[in-house]
Coordinates of all heavy atoms in Angstrom, one line a residue:
K1 N 0.8 -1.2 0.0 CA 0.0 0.0 0.0 C 0.9 1.2 0.0 O 0.6 2.2 -0.7 CB -0.9 0.0 1.3 CG -2.1 -0.8 1.2 CD -3.0 -0.5 2.4 CE -4.2 -1.5 2.5 NZ -4.8 -1.4 3.8
M2 N 1.9 1.2 0.8 CA 2.8 2.4 1.0 C 3.5 2.7 -0.4 O 3.5 3.9 -0.8 CB 3.9 2.1 2.0 CG 4.9 3.3 2.1 SD 6.4 2.7 2.8 CE 6.0 2.6 4.5
V3 N 4.1 1.7 -1.0 CA 4.8 1.9 -2.2 C 3.8 2.4 -3.3 O 4.1 3.4 -4.1 CB 5.5 0.6 -2.7 CG1 6.2 0.9 -4.0 CG2 6.5 0.2 -1.6
E4 N 2.7 1.8 -3.4 CA 1.7 2.3 -4.4 C 1.3 3.7 -4.2 O 1.2 4.5 -5.2 CB 0.4 1.4 -4.4 CG 0.6 0.0 -5.0 CD -0.6 -0.9 -4.9 OE1 -1.6 -0.5 -4.3 OE2 -0.5 -2.1 -5.3
T5 N 1.0 4.1 -3.0 CA 0.7 5.5 -2.7 C 1.8 6.4 -3.0 O 1.6 7.5 -3.6 CB 0.3 5.6 -1.2 OG1 -0.7 4.6 -0.9 CG2 -0.3 7.0 -0.9
A6 N 3.0 6.0 -2.6 CA 4.2 6.9 -2.8 C 4.5 7.2 -4.3 O 4.7 8.3 -4.7 CB 5.4 6.3 -2.1
V7 N 4.5 6.1 -5.1 CA 4.9 6.3 -6.5 C 3.9 7.1 -7.3 O 4.2 7.6 -8.4 CB 5.2 4.9 -7.2 CG1 6.4 4.2 -6.6 CG2 4.0 4.0 -7.3
E8 N 2.7 7.3 -6.8 CA 1.7 8.1 -7.5 C 2.3 9.6 -7.6 O 1.8 10.4 -8.4 CB 0.4 8.2 -6.7 CG -0.4 6.9 -6.9 CD -1.7 6.9 -6.0 OE1 -1.9 7.9 -5.4 OE2 -2.4 5.9 -6.0
Q9 N 3.3 9.9 -6.8 CA 3.8 11.3 -6.8 C 4.8 11.5 -7.9 O 5.3 12.6 -8.2 CB 4.5 11.6 -5.4 CG 3.6 11.5 -4.2 CD 2.5 12.6 -4.2 OE1 2.8 13.8 -4.6 NE2 1.4 12.4 -3.7
D10 N 5.2 10.4 -8.6 CA 6.2 10.5 -9.6 C 5.9 9.6 -10.8 O 5.9 8.4 -10.7 CB 7.6 10.1 -9.0 CG 8.8 10.4 -10.0 OD1 8.6 10.0 -11.2 OD2 9.8 10.8 -9.5
D11 N 5.6 10.2 -12.0 CA 5.1 9.4 -13.1 C 6.1 8.4 -13.6 O 5.8 7.2 -13.9 CB 4.7 10.3 -14.3 CG 3.5 11.2 -13.9 OD1 2.9 10.9 -12.9 OD2 3.2 12.2 -14.6
E12 N 7.4 8.8 -13.6 CA 8.4 7.8 -14.1 C 8.5 6.6 -13.2 O 8.6 5.5 -13.7 CB 9.8 8.5 -14.2 CG 9.9 9.4 -15.4 CD 11.2 10.2 -15.4 OE1 12.2 9.6 -14.9 OE2 11.3 11.2 -16.0
L13 N 8.6 6.9 -11.9 CA 8.7 5.8 -10.9 C 7.4 4.9 -11.0 O 7.5 3.7 -10.9 CB 8.7 6.3 -9.5 CG 10.1 6.7 -9.0 CD1 10.0 7.1 -7.5 CD2 11.1 5.5 -9.0
M14 N 6.3 5.5 -11.2 CA 5.0 4.8 -11.3 C 5.1 3.8 -12.5 O 4.7 2.6 -12.4 CB 3.9 5.8 -11.6 CG 2.5 5.2 -11.7 SD 1.7 5.2 -10.1 CE 0.1 5.2 -10.6
E15 N 5.6 4.3 -13.7 CA 5.7 3.4 -14.8 C 6.6 2.2 -14.6 O 6.3 1.1 -14.8 CB 6.1 4.2 -16.1 CG 5.0 5.0 -16.7 CD 5.5 5.9 -17.8 OE1 6.4 5.5 -18.5 OE2 4.9 7.0 -18.0
A16 N 7.8 2.6 -14.0 CA 8.8 1.5 -13.7 C 8.2 0.5 -12.7 O 8.4 -0.7 -12.8 CB 10.0 2.2 -13.1
Y17 N 7.4 1.0 -11.7 CA 6.8 0.1 -10.7 C 5.8 -0.8 -11.3 O 5.7 -2.0 -11.1 CB 6.2 0.9 -9.6 CG 5.5 0.1 -8.5 CD1 6.3 -0.7 -7.6 CD2 4.1 0.2 -8.3 CE1 5.6 -1.4 -6.7 CE2 3.5 -0.6 -7.3 CZ 4.3 -1.4 -6.5 OH 3.7 -2.1 -5.5
L18 N 5.0 -0.3 -12.3 CA 4.0 -1.1 -12.9 C 4.6 -2.1 -13.8 O 4.1 -3.2 -14.1 CB 3.0 -0.2 -13.8 CG 2.1 0.7 -12.9 CD1 1.4 1.7 -13.8 CD2 1.2 -0.1 -12.0
D19 N 5.9 -1.8 -14.3 CA 6.6 -2.8 -15.1 C 7.3 -3.8 -14.2 O 8.1 -4.7 -14.7 CB 7.7 -2.1 -16.0 CG 7.0 -1.2 -17.1 OD1 5.8 -1.5 -17.3 OD2 7.6 -0.3 -17.6
G20 N 7.1 -3.7 -12.9 CA 7.7 -4.7 -12.0 C 9.0 -4.3 -11.4 O 9.7 -5.2 -10.8
N21 N 9.5 -3.1 -11.5 CA 10.7 -2.6 -10.9 C 10.4 -2.0 -9.5 O 9.7 -1.0 -9.4 CB 11.4 -1.6 -11.8 CG 11.8 -2.2 -13.1 OD1 12.1 -3.4 -13.2 ND2 11.7 -1.4 -14.2
E22 N 11.0 -2.6 -8.5 CA 10.8 -2.1 -7.1 C 11.6 -0.8 -6.9 O 12.8 -0.8 -7.2 CB 11.3 -3.1 -6.1 CG 11.2 -2.7 -4.7 CD 9.7 -2.9 -4.1 OE1 8.8 -3.4 -4.8 OE2 9.6 -2.5 -3.0
P23 N 11.0 0.4 -6.5 CA 11.8 1.6 -6.3 C 12.7 1.5 -5.1 O 12.4 0.7 -4.2 CB 10.7 2.7 -6.1 CG 9.5 1.9 -5.7 CD 9.6 0.6 -6.2
S24 N 13.8 2.3 -5.1 CA 14.7 2.2 -4.0 C 14.1 2.9 -2.8 O 13.2 3.7 -2.9 CB 16.0 2.9 -4.4 OG 15.8 4.3 -4.5
I25 N 14.7 2.7 -1.6 CA 14.2 3.3 -0.4 C 14.3 4.8 -0.5 O 13.4 5.6 -0.1 CB 14.9 2.8 0.9 CG1 14.4 1.4 1.2 CG2 14.7 3.7 2.1 CD1 15.0 0.7 2.4
E26 N 15.4 5.3 -1.1 CA 15.6 6.8 -1.3 C 14.4 7.4 -2.1 O 13.9 8.4 -1.8 CB 16.9 7.1 -2.0 CG 18.1 7.3 -1.0 CD 18.3 6.2 0.0 OE1 18.4 5.0 -0.5 OE2 18.2 6.4 1.2
D27 N 14.1 6.6 -3.2 CA 13.0 7.1 -4.1 C 11.7 7.2 -3.4 O 10.9 8.1 -3.5 CB 12.9 6.3 -5.4 CG 14.0 6.6 -6.4 OD1 14.6 7.7 -6.3 OD2 14.3 5.8 -7.3
I28 N 11.4 6.1 -2.6 CA 10.1 6.1 -1.9 C 10.1 7.2 -0.9 O 9.1 7.9 -0.8 CB 10.0 4.7 -1.1 CG1 9.9 3.5 -2.1 CG2 8.7 4.7 -0.3 CD1 9.9 2.2 -1.5
K29 N 11.2 7.4 -0.2 CA 11.2 8.6 0.8 C 11.0 9.9 0.1 O 10.2 10.7 0.6 CB 12.6 8.6 1.5 CG 12.7 7.6 2.7 CD 13.9 7.9 3.5 CE 14.0 7.1 4.7 NZ 15.2 7.3 5.5
R30 N 11.6 10.1 -1.0 CA 11.4 11.3 -1.8 C 10.0 11.5 -2.1 O 9.4 12.6 -2.0 CB 12.3 11.3 -3.0 CG 12.3 12.6 -3.8 CD 13.4 12.5 -4.9 NE 13.3 11.3 -5.7 CZ 12.5 11.1 -6.7 NH1 11.7 12.1 -7.1 NH2 12.4 10.0 -7.4
C31 N 9.3 10.5 -2.6 CA 7.9 10.6 -3.0 C 7.0 10.8 -1.8 O 6.0 11.6 -1.9 CB 7.4 9.3 -3.7 SG 8.2 9.1 -5.3
I32 N 7.3 10.1 -0.7 CA 6.5 10.3 0.5 C 6.6 11.8 1.0 O 5.6 12.4 1.4 CB 6.9 9.3 1.6 CG1 6.5 7.9 1.2 CG2 6.1 9.7 2.9 CD1 7.0 6.8 2.2
R33 N 7.8 12.3 0.9 CA 8.0 13.7 1.4 C 7.2 14.6 0.5 O 6.5 15.5 1.0 CB 9.5 14.0 1.2 CG 9.9 15.4 1.6 CD 11.4 15.7 1.5 NE 11.7 17.0 2.0 CZ 11.8 17.3 3.3 NH1 11.8 16.3 4.2 NH2 12.1 18.5 3.6
K34 N 7.2 14.4 -0.8 CA 6.5 15.3 -1.7 C 5.0 15.2 -1.4 O 4.3 16.2 -1.3 CB 6.8 14.8 -3.2 CG 6.1 15.7 -4.2 CD 6.4 15.3 -5.6 CE 5.6 16.0 -6.6 NZ 5.5 15.4 -7.9
G35 N 4.5 14.0 -1.2 CA 3.0 13.8 -1.0 C 2.6 14.4 0.4 O 1.5 15.0 0.5
T36 N 3.5 14.3 1.4 CA 3.2 14.9 2.7 C 3.1 16.4 2.6 O 2.2 17.0 3.2 CB 4.3 14.4 3.7 OG1 4.5 13.0 3.7 CG2 3.9 14.8 5.1
I37 N 4.1 17.0 1.9 CA 4.1 18.4 1.8 C 2.9 18.9 1.0 O 2.3 20.0 1.3 CB 5.4 18.9 1.2 CG1 6.6 18.6 2.2 CG2 5.4 20.4 0.9 CD1 8.0 18.8 1.7
N38 N 2.4 18.1 0.1 CA 1.2 18.5 -0.7 C -0.1 18.2 0.0 O -1.1 18.4 -0.5 CB 1.2 17.8 -2.1 CG 2.3 18.3 -3.0 OD1 2.9 19.3 -2.7 ND2 2.7 17.5 -4.0
L39 N 0.0 17.7 1.2 CA -1.1 17.3 2.1 C -1.9 16.1 1.4 O -3.1 16.0 1.7 CB -2.1 18.5 2.3 CG -1.4 19.7 3.0 CD1 -2.5 20.7 3.2 CD2 -0.8 19.4 4.3
D40 N -1.3 15.3 0.5 CA -2.0 14.2 -0.1 C -2.2 13.1 0.9 O -3.2 12.3 0.8 CB -1.3 13.7 -1.3 CG -1.2 14.7 -2.4 OD1 -2.1 15.6 -2.4 OD2 -0.3 14.7 -3.3
F41 N -1.3 12.9 1.8 CA -1.4 11.9 2.8 C -0.6 12.2 4.0 O 0.2 13.2 4.0 CB -1.1 10.5 2.3 CG 0.2 10.4 1.5 CD1 1.5 10.5 2.2 CD2 0.2 10.3 0.1 CE1 2.6 10.5 1.5 CE2 1.4 10.3 -0.6 CZ 2.6 10.4 0.1
F42 N -0.7 11.5 5.1 CA 0.0 11.8 6.4 C 0.7 10.5 6.9 O 0.0 9.6 7.3 CB -1.0 12.3 7.4 CG -1.9 13.4 6.9 CD1 -3.1 13.2 6.4 CD2 -1.4 14.7 7.0 CE1 -3.9 14.3 5.9 CE2 -2.1 15.8 6.5 CZ -3.4 15.6 5.9
P43 N 2.0 10.5 6.8 CA 2.8 9.3 7.4 C 2.4 9.1 8.8 O 2.3 10.0 9.6 CB 4.2 9.8 7.3 CG 4.2 10.8 6.2 CD 2.9 11.5 6.3
T44 N 2.1 7.8 9.1 CA 1.5 7.5 10.4 C 2.4 6.5 11.2 O 2.7 5.4 10.7 CB 0.1 6.9 10.2 OG1 -0.7 7.9 9.6 CG2 -0.6 6.5 11.6
F45 N 2.8 6.9 12.4 CA 3.7 6.1 13.2 C 3.0 5.7 14.5 O 1.9 6.2 14.8 CB 4.9 7.0 13.6 CG 5.7 7.4 12.4 CD1 5.4 8.6 11.7 CD2 6.8 6.7 12.0 CE1 6.1 9.0 10.6 CE2 7.6 7.1 10.9 CZ 7.2 8.3 10.2
C46 N 3.6 4.7 15.2 CA 2.9 4.3 16.4 C 4.0 4.0 17.5 O 5.2 3.9 17.2 CB 2.2 3.0 16.2 SG 3.2 1.6 15.7
G47 N 3.5 4.0 18.8 CA 4.5 3.8 19.9 C 3.8 4.1 21.2 O 2.6 4.3 21.3
S48 N 4.7 4.2 22.2 CA 4.3 4.7 23.5 C 5.3 5.6 24.1 O 6.4 5.3 24.4 CB 4.2 3.4 24.4 OG 4.2 3.9 25.8

């Protein structure tokens, strides 16, 4: 779910992902950062 949501922020990564190429952790972080700043989604953590 996370990777699918993240790659929506970058068309090239999205195409590569649909062709079966797993994006790198750096690329996923970059996409999550972009989506968070655009208020598209909110990274959710848990703990005590």
Side-chain angles (χ1 to χ4, degrees):
K1 277 187 191 170
M2 174 204 285
V3 176
E4 282 175 5
T5 308
V7 294
E8 284 173 6
Q9 299 289 327
D10 185 318
D11 294 345
E12 283 178 26
L13 275 182
M14 179 93 155
E15 281 175 30
Y17 178 67
L18 292 174
D19 293 342
N21 299 323
E22 178 80 7
S24 69
I25 285 185
E26 268 54 55
D27 281 341
I28 297 175
K29 277 190 174 177
R30 184 171 51 84
C31 289
I32 294 177
R33 182 180 183 80
K34 185 180 168 195
T36 307
I37 293 172
N38 291 341
L39 305 184
D40 292 339
F41 47 74
F42 305 96
T44 301
F45 298 84
C46 63
S48 162

